[in-house]
Amino acid sequence: MIVSGFSLKGHFPGGPYAVGLSISIGALLLVRGLVLITSGLIRLVARHYAHRAATPQLRLAARNVDAAPRRQTTGMPVMGFAVFMGAAVAAQQAAVVFRASLTPSLTLTYLLIDIAVLSALLIGSGVLIVNQVEGIVSQGYTHATSEAGGNPDAVLDGVLIRQALIIALPACMVAVLAALAVMIPAVGDLYVHPLNSGILILVRTAVLTSLGALAVMVAGQALRPLVRDAIAEKITK
């Protein structure tokens, strides 16, 4: 519905209002579908590593995600939507850059979108990490870390980051593929240098996915005081 709304343009049945309605309904269905697909993929990844992980920390993180996938994935839609928008803009940008149509105002627009995407990635990552903290504290700090062995503080940090990555990486990859599947057919006729455009799209989307993982790690490090305070309060009680 989204692709047809963009590609048919003036020939869409029902005129411009029907185009807007088609794109809007398609976007709603797409968002819901992305959440369902991503949730299923996260479960598959978690179940795989719950039995085949090379390290105790990864195995424990996967088991925690698999045990309560809905509760653990809070914040995932924010990250997925941010990456989706970033990848969609990358596909559209590739059609503009090689047509010598990149004006200063358009460059500023792309910059503002990139800033918004990075901000959303950090917010979504922060929500993910906070949710992991709540889950581990509610399960019991000693029980959660004793299974993985080693220094309890280091183990907790490792488990938190791994849990968030098990959720974030599938969300980012699904969002990227969905954005490209929507945007490339919609603006395909605008690509004057398909090879160069493909390389630009590949680089930008790879950077986006990497930034999603990096945002999780940054949020994990930034929220370490919160982790310590929550654990200390739990132990005191």
Side-chain angles (χ1 to χ4, degrees), residues 79 81-94 97 102 105-123 200-201 203-205 207-209 211-212 215:
M79 291 192 65
F81 184 72
V83 173
F84 177 87
M85 291 302 297
V89 170
Q92 192 271 344
Q93 186 184 37
V97 169
L102 192 61
S105 61
L106 199 54
T107 301
L108 178 60
T109 301
Y110 287 138
L111 177 61
L112 293 175
I113 291 174
D114 287 340
I115 293 173
V117 167
L118 290 176
S119 301
L121 283 175
L122 285 174
I123 292 171
L200 178 60
I201 292 171
V203 170
R204 279 185 59 92
T205 51
V207 169
L208 269 174
T209 305
L211 286 176

Side-chain angles (χ1 to χ4, degrees), residues 36-130:
L36 291 174
I37 292 171
T38 304
S39 299
L41 182 58
I42 288 171
R43 290 192 189 99
L44 290 176
V45 172
R47 288 172 185 172
H48 171 78
Y49 284 109
H51 301 287
R52 298 178 179 85
T55 64
Q57 293 182 16
L58 180 56
R59 185 163 54 250
L60 178 58
R63 288 176 180 173
N64 289 342
V65 174
D66 186 37
R70 288 188 179 181
R71 180 168 61 86
Q72 299 284 5
T73 54
T74 302
M76 177 266 291
V78 177
M79 291 192 65
F81 184 72
V83 173
F84 177 87
M85 291 302 297
V89 170
Q92 192 271 344
Q93 186 184 37
V96 171
V97 169
F98 297 106
R99 291 172 62 90
S101 304
L102 192 61
T103 62
S105 61
L106 199 54
T107 301
L108 178 60
T109 301
Y110 287 138
L111 177 61
L112 293 175
I113 291 174
D114 287 340
I115 293 173
V117 167
L118 290 176
S119 301
L121 283 175
L122 285 174
I123 292 171
S125 300
V127 174
L128 273 178
I129 295 295
V130 169

